[in-house]
């Protein structure tokens, strides 16, 4: 037992996967409605993705960021164009927490302020600054806690205003659909008001799109629904379909001196090949339309489940809220029906985060299993 234990694990060992199916070491097939925690965007082992990574590793897998890497340029151009984030520039790193860490550092460097405003039930990662902006004191160490973060109830603009007026807040960081916290979201009026308050008070608005980005909500970024323009956008998870890659998209007004941001592995050749293949597939297979269609179908099906208290989230980032804790139900789904789902901070909520390639037959399979357990 040499492995440091960090999660309670299900007793299943996946050894291979294809699109929405995962197979364990005994050959049992599972339906993946969890996407490895919103990571698998274009389906497991997509042929285009497999050949992009294989070709890249057999030519040049890695070289240092101190030399030219045209794949980074290609990925940045494609991402900026595809996401509609005109004139933004991309910095590449390796994970969601790292993206947020760099976003917060850059914001503070830009306007010289020290405090951060985050929202109740937020999750931004486990590294030093990201973990302090995460609303979970259990995972914060004394070393991290030097950073000062104000937590505000999602939707409470008055509270945001009172804090930003003190002129100490470098950044507001927000998930426009909360992930780990339980799929809560606020109104367009709130997000637009937030954008306005940030501008008026020289505070950088950071949209954490680590989970909600890359088409998962039916828009490329969740904030786009509200027609706001954050200065920094954090991305990771679905970006590499399992290959570790993250980044921040940075508004052209924000500048950094050489050396402020940097990384050994971020944006390496293999990661870029993975990132480019993912964007190609999202585009060529029109996956954002599929997200919207299947989401409508899924939500329609929930109407036949009287035990459901609420449906949260949107697109393929959905929370099914019951009026009882769902741990046992999730165990039955996985062991008896061979279906992976996600949990959330709210113990009554099942989180649905499938690959964006999901089809109606997968949704039917889930609702048949749910019906058997609940009836
Ligand atoms: C919204 C959000 N931000 C940041 C993170 C942290 O990402 P990572 O685990 O890649 O560091 C997560 C992970 O779940 C997340 O959901």
């Amino acid at each position: 037992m040499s492995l440091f234990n960090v999660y309670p694990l299900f007793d299943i060992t996946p050894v291979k996967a294809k699109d929405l199916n995962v197979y364990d070491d005994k050959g049992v097939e599972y339906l993946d409605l969890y996407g490895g925690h919103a990571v698998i965007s274009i389906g497991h082992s997509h042929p285009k993705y497999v050949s992009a990574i294989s070709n890249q590793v057999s030519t040049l897998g890695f070289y240092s960021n101190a030399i030219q890497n045209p794949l980074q340029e290609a990925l940045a151009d494609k991402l900026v164009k595809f996401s509609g984030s005109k004139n933004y520039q991309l910095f590449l790193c390796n994970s969601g927490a790292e993206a947020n860490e760099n976003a917060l550092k850059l914001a503070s460097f830009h306007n010289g302020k020290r405090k951060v405003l985050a929202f109740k039930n937020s999750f931004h990662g486990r590294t030093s600054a990201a973990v302090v902006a995460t609303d979970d004191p259990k995972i914060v160490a004394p070393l991290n806690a030097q950073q000062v973060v104000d937590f505000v109830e999602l939707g409470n603009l008055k509270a945001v205003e009172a804090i930003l007026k003190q002129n100490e807040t470098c950044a507001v960081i927000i998930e426009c659909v909360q992930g780990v916290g339980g799929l809560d979201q606020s109104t367009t009026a709130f997000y637009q008001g937030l954008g306005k308050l940030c501008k008026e008070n020289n505070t950088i608005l950071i949209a954490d799109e680590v989970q909600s980005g890359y088409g998962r909500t039916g828009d490329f970024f969740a904030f786009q629904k509200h027609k706001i323009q954050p200065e920094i956008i954090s991305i990771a998870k679905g970006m590499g379909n399992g290959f570790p890659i993250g980044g921040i998209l940075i508004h052209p007004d924000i500048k950094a001196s050489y050396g402020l941001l940097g990384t050994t592995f971020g944006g390496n050749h293999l990661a870029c090949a993975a990132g480019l293949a993912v964007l190609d597939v999202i585009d060529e297979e029109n996956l954002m339309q599929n997200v919207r269609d299947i989401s409508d179908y899924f939500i329609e099906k929930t109407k036949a489940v009287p035990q459901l208290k609420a449906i949260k989230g949107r697109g393929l980032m959905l929370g099914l809220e019951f009026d009882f804790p769902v741990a046992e139900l999730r165990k039955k789904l996985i062991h008896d029906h061979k279906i992976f789902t996600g949990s959330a901070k709210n113990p009554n909520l099942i989180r649905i985060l499938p690959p964006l390639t999901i089809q109606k037959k997968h949704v039917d399979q889930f609702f048949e299993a749910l019906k058997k357990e609940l009836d």
Side-chain angles (χ1 to χ4, degrees):
M1 293 307 249
S2 312
L3 191 65
F4 196 64
N5 227 344
V6 292
Y7 291 118
L9 299 178
F10 279 109
D11 189 17
I12 292 167
T13 308
V15 291
K16 90 178 179 186
K18 184 80 195 146
D19 198 17
L20 262 89
N21 291 124
V22 174
Y23 301 86
D24 74 7
D25 53 354
K26 297 171 195 80
V28 178
E29 180 184 283
Y30 292 84
L31 172 65
D32 186 6
L33 298 187
Y34 174 56
H37 205 76
V39 165
I40 304 300
S41 44
I42 58 168
H44 293 277
S45 307
H46 191 289
K48 181 151 196 168
Y49 173 81
V50 172
S51 80
I53 296 182
S54 313
N55 289 342
Q56 192 60 49
V57 77
S58 60
T59 47
L60 176 62
F62 176 84
Y63 203 76
S64 151
N65 275 321
I67 46 121
Q68 300 284 340
N69 180 349
L71 289 172
Q72 288 186 0
E73 292 285 350
L75 179 57
D77 286 350
K78 191 170 224 141
L79 177 60
V80 164
K81 204 153 144 209
F82 194 68
S83 68
S85 312
K86 211 165 155 239
N87 298 330
Y88 278 52
Q89 292 180 314
L90 178 66
F91 169 73
L92 286 162
C93 56
N94 309 286
S95 69
E98 206 186 325
N100 285 330
E101 200 75 23
N102 283 296
L104 290 165
K105 180 179 176 185
L106 192 56
S108 177
F109 184 82
H110 175 79
N111 58 27
K113 303 192 224 179
R114 277 196 65 229
K115 287 175 74 176
V116 169
L117 189 150
F119 292 89
K120 297 259 171 71
N121 286 327
S122 61
F123 186 90
H124 299 294
R126 292 183 172 83
T127 56
S128 198
V131 78
V132 189
T134 290
D135 182 19
D136 187 353
K138 289 194 300 298
I139 60 170
V140 180
L143 171 72
N144 308 133
Q146 295 153 1
Q147 181 93 38
V148 186
V149 178
D150 293 305
F151 285 100
V152 169
E153 206 70 53
L154 188 65
N156 189 343
L157 266 189
K158 283 248 171 313
V160 172
E161 184 172 17
I163 291 165
L164 296 197
K165 285 261 176 292
Q166 293 164 18
N167 200 26
E168 292 172 342
T169 305
C170 70
V172 170
I173 184 163
I174 187 162
E175 300 158 89
C176 283
V177 179
Q178 290 191 329
V180 177
L183 289 307
D184 282 314
Q185 46 190 333
S186 189
T187 60
T188 293
F190 169 75
Y191 295 108
Q192 291 190 351
L194 184 66
K196 191 162 167 279
L197 282 174
C198 284
K199 288 224 157 48
E200 286 168 3
N201 292 285
N202 184 25
T203 299
I204 299 296
L205 181 59
I206 301 170
D208 180 345
E209 295 277 353
V210 166
Q211 188 165 147
S212 55
Y214 263 74
R216 180 154 294 282
T217 65
D219 293 304
F220 192 81
F221 291 126
F223 71 76
Q224 286 169 324
K225 177 173 188 247
H226 308 294
K227 310 229 171 336
I228 57 168
Q229 201 53 76
E231 279 90 8
I232 305 180
I233 305 159
S234 313
I235 46 181
K237 293 197 188 289
M239 194 176 179
N241 202 48
F243 200 98
I245 179 169
I248 48 177
L249 281 164
I250 305 162
H251 188 276
D253 285 353
I254 299 178
K255 304 277 180 250
S257 51
Y258 279 143
L260 184 80
L261 306 185
T263 160
T264 299
F265 292 120
N268 68 71
H269 298 69
L270 267 179
C272 288
L276 281 162
V278 167
L279 283 178
D280 280 347
V281 173
I282 292 178
D283 191 17
E284 286 161 10
E285 297 186 8
N286 206 4
L287 290 185
M288 274 151 61
Q289 187 57 49
N290 191 56
V291 172
R292 295 188 282 267
D293 293 345
I294 299 292
S295 180
D296 288 349
Y297 185 71
F298 195 103
I299 290 167
E300 192 57 38
K301 287 244 160 190
T302 61
K303 292 184 183 153
V305 186
Q307 295 87 345
L308 264 176
K309 200 175 127 202
I311 316 294
K312 295 189 163 177
R314 63 178 199 263
L316 294 178
M317 190 173 172
L318 293 171
L320 307 186
E321 191 176 19
F322 294 85
D323 52 15
F324 54 86
V326 295
E328 279 309 307
L329 176 58
R330 282 189 59 242
K331 261 190 213 156
K332 290 212 157 117
L333 285 171
I334 198 163
H335 291 304
D336 300 351
H337 301 278
K338 314 296 176 207
I339 300 178
F340 293 162
T341 59
S343 62
K345 193 173 176 186
N346 174 350
N348 294 1
L349 199 122
I350 291 183
R351 210 157 24 135
I352 303 291
L353 304 163
L356 312 186
T357 50
I358 185 173
Q359 297 166 30
K360 285 183 179 172
K361 65 175 182 189
H362 302 121
V363 178
D364 293 344
Q365 190 180 333
F366 172 69
F367 280 97
E368 273 158 33
L370 201 60
K371 191 168 164 30
K372 280 198 188 126
E373 284 309 323
L374 294 176
D375 282 356

